[in-house]
């Protein structure tokens, strides 16, 4: 479980593929690794993965082909920056929102605007997720907890404050770029319950 408050970024330095697994090597600031052990959960661009090996300034994680193909990892080149967040501990403050690290879909940036010191990004809203994204609600974009500014039938927008631009990779996004999108898990349950009521179930 994560909060969507990214700890920092790392650089994807190697991608190794076999028939059944994909291994990613990530270089990062050793300070981000403090207390991290093999087997720890780590959100990489919003995808919950397990640390397989680690040494100062470098770690590896392994993905199954399904996860690789359903996220932006399949399109990331070596050298790409990835957002990193360690899992929550009991007693931590939840200052973002509950993020599971289970990406719903990838979706593209369809508009980018700079408004004074903020960057406003508009994304396509996939049909299957329309009931789970609302204005002033929460979404995770590449693992970053953000508030939805505006929402319509087929798009939604978010704003990046300077701090978010500094500590995440979202400031590099351009129109057409794909991101990992996870909707609010609480919204999922509400949407499922309302769907059940509308279908005559209780």
């Amino acid at each position: 479980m994560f909060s969507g408050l990214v700890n920092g970024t790392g650089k994807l330095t190697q991608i190794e593929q076999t028939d059944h697994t994909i291994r990613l090597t990530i270089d990062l600031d050793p300070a981000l690794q403090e207390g991290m052990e093999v087997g720890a959960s780590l959100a990489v661009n919003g995808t919950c993965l397990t640390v397989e090996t680690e040494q100062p300034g470098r770690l590896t994680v392994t993905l199954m082909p399904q996860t690789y193909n359903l996220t932006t990892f399949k399109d990331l080149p070596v050298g790409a920056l990835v957002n990193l967040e360690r899992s929550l501990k009991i007693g931590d403050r939840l200052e973002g929102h509950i993020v599971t690290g289970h990406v719903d879909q990838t979706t593209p940036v369809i508009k980018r605007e700079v408004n004074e010191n903020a960057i406003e990004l508009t994304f396509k809203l996939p049909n299957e997720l329309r009931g789970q994204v609302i204005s002033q609600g929460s979404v995770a974009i590449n693992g970053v907890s953000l508030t939805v500014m505006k929402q319509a039938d087929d798009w939604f927008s978010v704003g990046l404050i300077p701090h978010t631009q500094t500590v995440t990779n979202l400031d590099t996004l351009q129109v057409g770029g794909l991101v990992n999108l996870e909707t609010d898990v609480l919204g999922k349950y509400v949407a499922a319950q309302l769907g059940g009521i509308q279908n005559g179930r209780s």
Side-chain angles (χ1 to χ4, degrees):
M1 196 69 68
F2 306 92
S3 69
L5 298 184
V6 169
N7 301 125
T9 59
K11 180 180 289 187
L12 182 61
T13 56
Q14 189 173 14
I15 304 172
E16 299 176 81
Q17 299 189 43
T18 64
D19 290 339
H20 302 290
T21 59
I22 297 95
R23 176 180 290 181
L24 306 180
T25 300
I26 299 168
D27 285 1
L28 69 164
D29 187 332
L32 294 178
Q33 289 179 277
E34 185 177 350
M36 187 180 295
E37 300 176 350
V38 171
S41 293
L42 181 70
V44 182
N45 267 7
T47 305
C48 181
L49 302 173
T50 300
V51 176
E52 186 176 83
T53 67
E54 64 94 18
Q55 56 185 321
R58 174 167 291 185
L59 56 82
T60 62
V61 292
T62 299
L63 295 80
M64 296 297 99
Q66 181 180 15
T67 302
Y68 184 78
N69 291 324
L70 292 177
T71 63
T72 60
F73 290 116
K74 65 182 182 300
D75 301 311
L76 289 183
V78 169
L81 288 180
V82 292
N83 294 326
L84 303 174
E85 182 190 352
R86 300 182 62 181
S87 60
L88 287 170
K89 296 186 296 184
I90 294 176
D92 282 351
R93 292 177 178 173
L94 185 61
E95 296 179 341
H97 74 284
I98 297 173
V99 178
T100 66
H102 301 155
V103 173
D104 292 302
Q105 289 193 35
T106 61
T107 195
V109 179
I110 58 175
K111 188 177 182 180
R112 174 190 168 103
E113 292 183 300
V114 178
N115 185 2
E116 296 182 352
N117 64 349
I119 298 174
E120 297 179 10
L121 299 174
T122 301
F123 299 91
K124 180 179 179 181
L125 178 57
N127 291 339
E128 299 85 351
L129 304 179
R130 287 184 181 178
Q132 301 172 26
V133 177
I134 61 171
S135 296
Q136 306 308 310
S138 297
V139 293
I141 302 294
N142 280 355
V144 182
S145 176
L146 296 167
T147 299
V148 177
M149 297 172 56
K150 299 177 183 178
Q151 173 262 327
D153 285 342
D154 59 355
W155 61 267
F156 68 94
S157 63
V158 300
L160 309 180
I161 62 174
H163 177 74
T164 304
Q165 297 172 39
T166 300
V167 301
T168 75
N169 63 10
L170 299 186
D171 69 316
T172 66
L173 290 172
Q174 301 296 327
V175 172
L178 287 177
V179 298
N180 292 326
L181 169 62
E182 180 188 334
T183 63
D184 189 346
V185 66
L186 300 180
K188 288 181 171 70
Y189 283 112
V190 171
Q193 183 64 24
L194 290 175
I197 292 173
Q198 292 170 359
N199 291 325
R201 300 192 302 271
S202 60

